[in-house]
């Protein structure tokens, strides 16, 4: 089973709403992965070395499924469309107000928005324009699944952030992911904002991110 096939399986399971039951999607995927003994096949991208020229602005990491694309529409202004990922069309529900909300957050906190989703580059083509986001950098989260018991996106995210502080909007992260990030040499400060996949990203989550990013800035000024 290839990495692309694993991601397609995840998306299909989500479409069937398997995660509404007692079995987590990632428990199923873990079992598939263990069975297929994928770890020697899928390797984590090499960690980047720090350089003094690196951009040190905070990052705002964005998931699609369960965050910008929750299980149900949350209002009459939401869009219900089909979007193509890896060449396959999936039904999605999107809020055109999410983009402006996130752009305002990024502007007010001097942070950079980045996709951290298995939609990868497809997010820029299929999701961003419908929610009002410009083209954003993409973390190659499908490139690696190299750590047991953590979400496959977590190791690539750790490799990407390069000690820049970050907030991460996601619906699938657990304690093991936090522990992995805290122990990773490439990770400094971070805040995971747990978004419920039923309703997706709400103003409350953006306010939590703004509060953390603002407090981080204030602490930096005090220290500086
Ligand atoms: Mg998700």
């Amino acid at each position: 089973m290839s990495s692309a096939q694993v991601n397609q399986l995840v998306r299909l399971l989500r479409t069937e709403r398997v995660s509404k039951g007692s079995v987590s999607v990632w428990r199923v995927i873990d079992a598939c992965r263990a069975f297929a003994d994928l770890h020697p096949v899928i390797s984590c991208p090499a960690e980047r070395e720090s350089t003094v020229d690196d951009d040190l602005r905070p990052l705002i990491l964005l998931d699609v499924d369960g965050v910008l694309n929750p299980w149900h529409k949350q209002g009459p202004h939401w869009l219900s469309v089909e979007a193509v990922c890896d060449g396959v069309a999936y039904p999605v529900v999107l809020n055109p107000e999410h983009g402006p909300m996130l752009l305002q957050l990024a502007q007010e906190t001097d942070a950079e928005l980045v996709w951290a989703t298995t939609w990868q580059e497809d997010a820029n083509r299929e999701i961003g324009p419908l929610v009002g986001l410009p083209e954003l950098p993409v973390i190659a989260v499908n490139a690696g699944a190299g750590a047991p018991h953590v979400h496959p996106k977590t190791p690539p995210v750790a490799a990407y952030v390069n000690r820049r502080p970050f907030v991460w909007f996601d619906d699938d992260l657990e304690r093991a992911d936090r522990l992995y990030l805290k122990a990773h040499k490439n990770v400094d400060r971070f805040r995971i904002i747990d978004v419920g996949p039923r309703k997706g990203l709400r103003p409350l989550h953006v306010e939590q991110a703004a509060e953390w990013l603002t407090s981080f800035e204030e602490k930096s000024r005090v220290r500086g």
Side-chain angles (χ1 to χ4, degrees):
M1 188 182 293
S2 68
S3 177
Q5 287 172 320
V6 169
N7 290 327
Q8 188 173 31
L9 176 59
V10 171
R11 199 161 288 110
L12 288 170
L13 287 168
R14 285 191 168 285
T15 302
E16 295 301 321
R17 304 303 187 222
V18 168
S19 56
K20 288 174 77 173
S22 59
V23 180
S24 158
V25 167
W26 290 109
R27 296 279 178 269
V28 176
I29 298 307
D30 274 348
C32 292
R33 193 169 281 122
F35 180 77
D37 192 18
L38 280 176
H39 296 300
V41 178
I42 303 173
S43 61
C44 193
E47 293 175 6
R48 293 190 298 155
E49 293 296 327
S50 297
T51 71
V52 293
D53 295 324
D54 272 357
D55 187 348
L56 294 177
R57 284 189 304 152
L59 297 161
I60 301 170
L61 309 187
L62 285 178
D63 185 22
V64 171
D65 293 323
V67 175
L68 299 186
N69 170 35
W71 291 355
H72 309 289
K73 291 171 70 172
Q74 299 299 310
H77 63 287
W78 281 58
L79 306 173
S80 185
V81 298
E82 284 200 335
V84 176
C85 181
D86 292 335
V88 180
Y90 298 94
V92 297
V93 293
L94 299 169
N95 180 1
E97 295 178 353
H98 274 157
M101 191 186 306
L102 290 163
L103 288 171
Q104 183 177 358
L105 171 67
Q107 182 178 20
E108 291 179 353
T109 57
D110 193 24
E112 182 182 17
L113 289 161
V114 177
W115 292 116
T117 168
T118 56
W119 286 70
Q120 296 203 143
E121 290 292 349
D122 289 326
N124 274 327
R125 191 189 64 247
E126 299 288 322
I127 305 297
L130 295 177
V131 297
L133 286 173
E135 185 168 334
L136 302 177
V138 175
I139 301 177
V141 295
N142 293 350
H149 311 304
V150 299
H151 195 294
K153 293 195 295 191
T154 302
V157 161
Y160 182 90
V161 298
N162 206 24
R163 301 194 66 76
R164 292 170 67 176
F166 66 94
V167 292
W168 188 357
F169 294 115
D170 202 280
D171 65 313
D172 263 335
L173 302 176
E174 298 182 355
R175 183 169 179 268
D177 299 290
R178 289 169 165 82
L179 293 175
Y180 179 93
L181 291 170
K182 285 179 180 176
H184 201 287
K185 66 178 183 181
N186 218 35
V187 176
D188 190 9
R189 280 168 281 195
F190 68 93
R191 171 77 188 273
I192 292 173
I193 310 287
D194 293 307
V195 177
R198 291 175 186 273
K199 294 184 178 180
L201 185 71
R202 290 179 289 159
L204 168 68
H205 302 122
V206 177
E207 289 165 13
Q208 289 173 349
E211 186 177 342
W212 185 82
L213 289 165
T214 304
S215 68
F216 162 76
E217 289 174 355
E218 288 172 354
K219 286 175 186 171
S220 295
R221 276 199 294 272
V222 169
R223 281 210 303 256

